[in-house]
Amino acid sequence: MARAYLHGARAFYGGWPQARILEGYHDPTRPEMTMAREDIEFRGEGGALLRGWFYPAEGVQGPAPAIVLAHGLSAVKEMHLDSFARYFAAAGFAVVAYDHQNFGASEGTPRQEADPVLQSRDIRNAITYAMTRDEVDADRIGIWGSSFAGGQVIMVAATDRRVKAVVAQVPGVSGSAMLMRNLRPDFVSHALAQLDADRMHRFNGGEPNAMPAVAPNPFDQAVMPQTETYEWFTEAAKSAPNWRNELTVRSMELVLGFEPGSYISRVSPTPLMMVVADNDTVAPFQIALDAYHEAREPKDLRLFHGGHFDVYEGEGFDFAAGAAREHFLTHLK
């Protein structure tokens, strides 16, 4: 099947650009693809220990450029983040990947509460951690975020000049748009009433209420009710025992108030790449394109023909990871 991608303002059609994107890469799912990986922990906001992995750069003598990876809403690092980390390490980058505070192996309470501002601050803590490593060149650090974290890395790059390159993959640039577009219109008033009730409940000393992150039926109550979302998370969870199908109700309130796209014009002069999927129903690509239009140069847009979760495996992974690799090689190596 023919594919298309955008580079700047130009469109290219035809087969996958395999020679340029996959040069020097070996499939990380193959048994022979084994890399050194160190379990790490570092302090996040409020003193919580964040736990993750450090991958040294392959074939690099001396301090190497580094990339900090951050995952999407409720996702943990075992959900394909290791594939991107290995890919970038094979290209000569040191990599830090970790679980967000309150999720997976990391500390933090309330458990399963997604606070996008807190998570953005922890991306900055991960940058600081990377700078302490002898294997890392502290002057050449990039950040990569997928889905909801794609919006977070935009905000971080706009406010932290230690970042020398940023890639936002299928990014959620508007929390309100992501949630409201994915809720049935007749569910919206109920969801907002639920947020109000939960706030009163917690104000009166109650424990945080929770709801499913995903659900098999789009008519069921969940933060992300799409069928494709349920299928991806439940399949990816087979290799991610720390993932829980749960988010606090307050997470919805915090997501609704998070608008990282409003920062995008401030990312410049840090080079920005956005990888967008044209059939994305989770983080609607039209909203991402509108945000990209507001970004200043230097910037690069890659449009993938597929859905939100196609970028984590197969041809979608080759395309998205290859585009990010090219961006980081251009601006960090």
Side-chain angles (χ1 to χ4, degrees):
M1 180 182 295
R3 298 291 192 239
Y5 71 97
L6 293 177
H7 184 280
R10 297 171 295 165
F12 295 80
Y13 295 88
W16 289 91
Q18 296 286 350
R20 185 158 60 101
I21 284 183
L22 298 180
E23 181 183 358
Y25 170 65
H26 303 285
D27 186 351
T29 63
R30 294 175 184 168
E32 67 270 19
M33 184 64 171
T34 57
M35 285 186 174
R37 185 177 82 186
E38 178 187 343
D39 291 333
I40 60 171
E41 57 183 32
F42 57 92
R43 293 288 176 187
E45 291 298 293
L49 277 177
L50 306 185
R51 297 187 175 94
W53 301 317
F54 177 81
Y55 291 77
E58 291 287 300
V60 176
Q61 300 296 322
I67 304 170
V68 171
L69 309 186
H71 220 327
L73 190 61
S74 92
V76 295
K77 62 186 183 299
E78 290 83 3
M79 291 173 154
H80 300 287
L81 214 57
D82 51 341
S83 298
F84 287 93
R86 291 173 179 174
Y87 186 102
F88 296 144
F93 299 98
V95 181
V96 173
Y98 66 99
D99 285 330
H100 288 299
Q101 191 167 160
N102 306 337
F103 292 90
S106 291
E107 294 181 347
T109 57
R111 300 302 295 173
Q112 301 302 119
E113 182 154 292
D115 182 336
V117 174
L118 177 74
Q119 291 176 356
S120 299
R121 291 171 178 164
D122 278 335
I123 292 173
R124 300 181 73 170
N125 289 321
I127 293 169
T128 303
Y129 170 77
M131 294 174 69
T132 69
R133 301 281 310 209
D134 292 338
E135 305 95 327
V136 169
D137 181 344
D139 293 323
R140 293 187 291 163
I141 293 181
I143 54 177
W144 174 101
S146 190
S147 192
F148 197 52
Q152 293 170 355
V153 294
I154 288 172
M155 190 175 83
V156 172
T159 56
D160 192 331
R161 292 304 168 195
R162 297 177 301 174
V163 176
K164 298 303 187 290
V166 55
V167 174
Q169 174 177 284
V170 290
V173 297
S174 169
S176 60
M178 287 181 70
L179 283 186
M180 290 306 180
R181 288 201 176 196
N182 292 319
L183 286 176
R184 283 176 46 189
D186 54 327
F187 282 5
V188 172
S189 60
H190 173 73
L192 295 177
Q194 191 175 15
L195 297 184
D196 294 340
D198 179 71
R199 177 169 282 279
M200 181 62 71
H201 170 73
R202 290 172 67 151
F203 182 81
N204 289 324
E207 290 297 314
N209 291 315
M211 63 187 301
V214 298
N217 187 331
F219 295 101
D220 291 341
Q221 188 180 54
V223 177
M224 298 174 284
Q226 308 92 335
T227 301
E228 64 173 312
T229 307
Y230 174 81
E231 292 173 348
W232 184 84
F233 270 97
T234 52
E235 181 63 29
K238 294 177 181 178
S239 59
N242 282 331
W243 180 75
R244 288 166 54 186
N245 185 17
E246 184 177 275
L247 284 165
T248 66
V249 172
R250 184 169 182 254
S251 296
M252 292 183 63
E253 179 182 293
L254 296 170
V255 170
L256 278 169
F258 188 59
E259 301 293 331
S262 64
Y263 286 81
I264 199 164
S265 66
R266 296 165 52 189
V267 172
S268 178
T270 302
L272 165 69
M273 172 178 279
M274 291 176 60
V275 179
V276 179
D278 64 355
N279 289 323
D280 195 333
T281 61
V282 179
F285 88 101
Q286 299 95 333
I287 298 173
L289 293 180
D290 288 343
Y292 180 81
H293 178 72
E294 298 298 321
R296 296 188 172 97
E297 298 289 350
K299 61 181 181 178
D300 192 357
L301 176 69
R302 301 299 174 93
L303 179 61
F304 167 69
H305 181 60
H308 186 82
F309 298 103
D310 291 334
V311 295
Y312 293 104
E313 296 181 274
E315 288 183 332
F317 172 86
D318 294 343
F319 181 91
R325 170 184 178 269
E326 178 185 323
H327 185 71
F328 288 129
L329 284 171
T330 299
H331 298 290
L332 298 181
K333 292 289 279 186

